[in-house]
Amino acid sequence: MNHSSSDQSLYLESDGEDERKNLYEEEDDGALSDYSDAHNQNQHHHSKPNSYSTAWPKSYRQSIDLYGSLPSPSPGFLGNSSLSRFGSSFMSLTKRHTPESLPAIITKPLLEDEEAPKRKRSSHSLLSSKASSRVCHEIAVSNDSSFGQAVLNGVNVLCGVGILSTPYAVKEGGWLGLLILFAFGILCFYTGLLLRYCLDSHPDLQTYPDIGHAAFGTTGRILVSVILYLELYAMSVEYIILESDNLSSLFPNAALSIGGFHLDAPHLFALLTTIAVLPTVWLRDLSILSYISAGGVIASVLVVLCLFWIGLVDEVGIHSKGTPLNLATLPVSVGLYGYCYSGHGVFPNIYTSMAKPSQFPAVLVTCFGICTLMYAGVAVMGYSMFGESTESQFTLNMPQDLVASKIALWTTVVSPFTKYPFLMIFFSNSLLISLLPSNHGTSRFYAIAIRSALAFSTLLVGLAIPFFGLVMSLIGSFLTMLITLILPPACFLSILRTKVTPTQVAICIVIITVGTVCSALGTYSALAKIIEKLNT
């Protein structure tokens, strides 16, 4: 690999040598401020630390920083001059450069030679990569995220569409199945701490793929990256199914017949949703969506309040006693509960963005506490209201003549339009960077073509398996279990194997075992249910 030509491409968008010098100085200062004396005592040095950041995907940090962000029209709304790495990176991207310009700036192949010499411009390749990202204005890195900002970012990531299916999870597993939700909350909190210990082992470790590389080499990086991007893609499919289900409930008689082809309401709204969201996938300036996407937490809270209002104030009330335990479909609920805690891909970025990294455990406790209470409250209220008729999304059970129901339904319908474009852009950027030749990187045609193809592929997958709850259970069992319960302790034991205590080893082995069993049972059950539905 000729690093000189690659380095030149990294500076195509530079504003000058002085700016680059200042950026490097700022990065070095920020990096040093993140590591206390206690942190340094736990550092675990490797023979080739520069190899952690030389492999694909180079775009992962950009993607996950933006996906985990809580952008705001007013970056100082939390009492800070900048909205942490997440918000500031988002605003920097939307104001200065387009995502499709990234391949022209970062032209790395799928894998690089791990024996390549270090670059002169930085003693740590990851820090130089971050500085280059700032030069091209793709990421504005800052390490000043406050406790409140970190909590909001964490809750925004954890509390997503999974909350709509928690009553359905109780229906599938019974009341006693709720114990799985609390158990997963505790285990996922602990594995989140394990990721922190892995990050502290070496200053070059900044993201989840970095941790995978440190633990298992190039194979570990690729494995973690593929799983994380598959999860993002699967979430995009879920948004298509979500829109189709909820819009069909609002307009059940909608249909379209063209040239002998008949589209019923679910198929029609899935197609219309894809067509409607397609222009947002082509956007150069994503700030148009930032004003709405900043309300991810607010939207979740609003839908929850509507559910409680309907149950306690309006005419629905609480009628069902429910089933104590349903062993036949319990594995499906395992996957649904697992999906609720899908946030570990973003936790490393939240941790490295904090002004006081020592507060990270408290941030995790707060995030998991808030989200678990919301999940449990919705699960109990929804299943008590709708009983065995509970749908995969509780919004589908709400009486449509009530104002609160309309608010909940339309909030649910609008939210994916602000999330879906980001997921598609991040996924497509990874493909653009990894697969296309560098001389094609600046072409907007390739960016639009790949994003459009990905969008229509999610439509086809959503139409092929239009089962929101079962698809969510499959994602939670197969992908989320790997990311949250299996890989963190495995990486922890591999990276810090000479420092772990026998108690930590035992706990990690138990968590890996629990995650593996739950993943196998949940994946098999979800796939069996999907195949059964497809054959009926």
Side-chain angles (χ1 to χ4, degrees):
M1 172 60 62
N2 187 342
H3 285 285
S4 61
S5 61
S6 177
D7 289 345
Q8 290 176 1
S9 66
L10 285 166
Y11 292 104
L12 290 177
E13 300 295 333
S14 172
D15 290 332
E17 292 294 331
D18 293 338
E19 180 180 345
R20 289 198 295 270
K21 181 178 179 181
N22 293 335
L23 288 171
Y24 296 150
E25 292 174 353
E26 292 172 8
E27 290 294 342
D28 291 339
D29 292 340
L32 291 174
S33 66
D34 280 350
Y35 295 92
S36 61
D37 293 338
H39 172 112
N40 292 329
Q41 291 176 1
N42 292 327
Q43 287 185 355
H44 179 66
H45 296 282
H46 299 265
S47 59
K48 290 178 278 189
N50 61 308
S51 65
Y52 296 154
S53 61
T54 59
W56 177 86
K58 295 297 290 186
S59 65
Y60 177 79
R61 186 174 189 84
Q62 289 90 331
S63 300
I64 215 66
D65 272 346
L66 297 180
Y67 170 65
S69 69
L70 189 67
S72 170
S74 177
F77 81 108
L78 289 174
N80 200 317
S81 59
S82 62
L83 185 61
S84 77
R85 173 175 315 176
F86 301 87
S88 60
S89 64
F90 179 87
M91 299 306 290
S92 175
L93 167 65
T94 56
K95 290 180 180 178
R96 298 297 300 271
H97 289 272
T98 64
E100 53 265 33
S101 67
L102 189 57
I105 301 166
I106 304 177
T107 55
K108 299 294 181 185
L110 184 66
L111 292 175
E112 287 190 4
D113 182 8
E114 293 186 2
E115 301 297 333
K118 294 182 181 180
R119 302 173 187 174
K120 290 183 179 181
R121 55 191 174 86
S122 175
S123 61
H124 298 299
S125 61
L126 181 65
L127 294 180
S128 64
S129 175
K130 291 195 298 180
S132 300
S133 296
R134 284 191 61 178
V135 171
C136 71
H137 307 291
E138 175 68 13
I139 290 293
V141 177
S142 63
N143 295 83
D144 59 354
S145 177
S146 68
F147 178 86
Q149 291 169 333
V151 168
L152 283 176
N153 284 317
V155 172
N156 192 39
V157 169
L158 284 175
C159 195
V161 295
I163 199 170
L164 299 176
S165 294
T166 51
Y168 179 72
V170 181
K171 171 197 169 184
E172 294 294 297
W175 287 116
L176 293 178
L178 272 174
L179 296 176
I180 298 175
L181 175 68
F182 294 104
F184 280 170
I186 295 172
L187 295 180
C188 291
F189 163 75
Y190 183 77
T191 56
L193 293 180
L194 295 183
L195 291 180
R196 177 207 179 187
Y197 297 142
C198 293
L199 293 170
D200 286 347
S201 67
H202 197 284
D204 274 357
L205 302 183
Q206 297 279 316
T207 67
Y208 207 149
D210 293 341
I211 294 173
H213 196 161
F216 305 110
T218 300
T219 301
R221 170 178 287 274
I222 294 178
L223 175 64
V224 171
S225 301
V226 168
I227 294 173
L228 288 169
Y229 276 112
L230 279 177
E231 190 176 41
L232 292 180
Y233 181 84
M235 290 171 61
S236 301
V237 174
E238 280 286 80
Y239 285 140
I240 296 294
I241 303 174
L242 176 73
E243 292 294 296
S244 174
D245 290 346
N246 283 274
L247 287 172
S248 296
S249 70
L250 287 170
F251 309 102
N253 297 323
L256 179 65
S257 296
I258 300 179
F261 291 96
H262 178 76
L263 296 177
D264 58 8
H267 290 80
L268 174 61
F269 285 118
L271 176 61
L272 291 179
T273 296
T274 305
I275 295 174
V277 80
L278 205 55
T280 66
V281 173
W282 301 336
L283 285 176
R284 288 177 176 267
D285 185 358
L286 296 181
S287 61
I288 299 173
L289 300 177
S290 67
Y291 294 87
I292 303 176
S293 63
V297 177
I298 298 175
S300 298
V301 173
L302 180 60
V303 172
V304 171
L305 291 177
C306 289
L307 175 68
F308 276 80
W309 180 273
I310 292 173
L312 300 177
V313 179
D314 288 331
E315 61 186 32
V316 176
I318 298 175
H319 308 290
S320 175
K321 294 183 179 180
T323 304
L325 184 63
N326 192 347
L327 290 176
T329 53
L330 182 63
V332 174
S333 68
V334 168
L336 294 172
Y337 289 135
Y339 184 92
C340 292
Y341 296 110
S342 178
H344 284 58
V346 184
F347 288 164
N349 302 67
I350 293 178
Y351 174 59
T352 56
S353 72
M354 294 183 64
K356 297 180 179 179
S358 61
Q359 295 180 337
F360 183 69
V363 169
L364 284 186
V365 169
T366 306
C367 292
F368 277 96
I370 292 173
C371 292
T372 301
L373 289 177
M374 289 181 64
Y375 289 141
V378 169
V380 172
M381 178 59 69
Y383 187 51
S384 298
M385 290 167 58
F386 308 121
E388 297 304 314
S389 63
T390 302
E391 299 280 354
S392 61
Q393 305 147 64
F394 68 76
T395 51
L396 302 179
N397 290 103
M398 291 181 166
Q400 296 186 11
D401 58 331
L402 300 178
V403 175
S405 297
K406 295 183 183 297
I407 294 174
L409 277 168
W410 283 109
T411 301
T412 303
V413 167
V414 171
S415 293
F417 280 87
T418 65
K419 301 293 185 180
Y420 184 95
F422 298 133
L423 300 179
M424 284 294 98
I425 288 173
F426 304 154
F427 197 79
S428 66
N429 279 353
S430 178
L431 294 178
L432 285 166
I433 294 169
S434 302
L435 304 180
L436 289 183
S438 59
N439 61 331
H440 289 156
T442 57
S443 174
R444 180 163 170 77
F445 169 79
Y446 290 99
I448 293 178
I450 287 181
R451 292 175 190 175
S452 300
L454 285 173
F456 280 105
S457 72
T458 60
L459 169 65
L460 296 178
V461 175
L463 292 177
I465 46 175
F467 316 118
F468 183 85
L470 294 178
V471 172
M472 180 177 290
S473 179
L474 179 61
I475 297 171
S477 298
F478 180 58
L479 298 175
T480 306
M481 292 291 179
L482 284 170
I483 292 298
T484 60
L485 293 182
I486 299 176
L487 288 177
C491 292
F492 174 76
L493 293 177
S494 177
I495 295 174
L496 299 172
R497 55 185 173 273
T498 61
K499 298 181 180 180
V500 296
T501 65
T503 301
Q504 290 174 323
V505 172
I507 293 175
C508 287
I509 292 176
V510 169
I511 294 176
I512 292 174
T513 303
V514 170
T516 303
V517 172
C518 291
S519 178
L521 291 176
T523 301
Y524 174 80
S525 180
L527 284 175
K529 291 281 186 181
I530 290 174
I531 294 173
E532 179 184 345
K533 281 184 171 291
L534 289 175
N535 291 331
T536 56

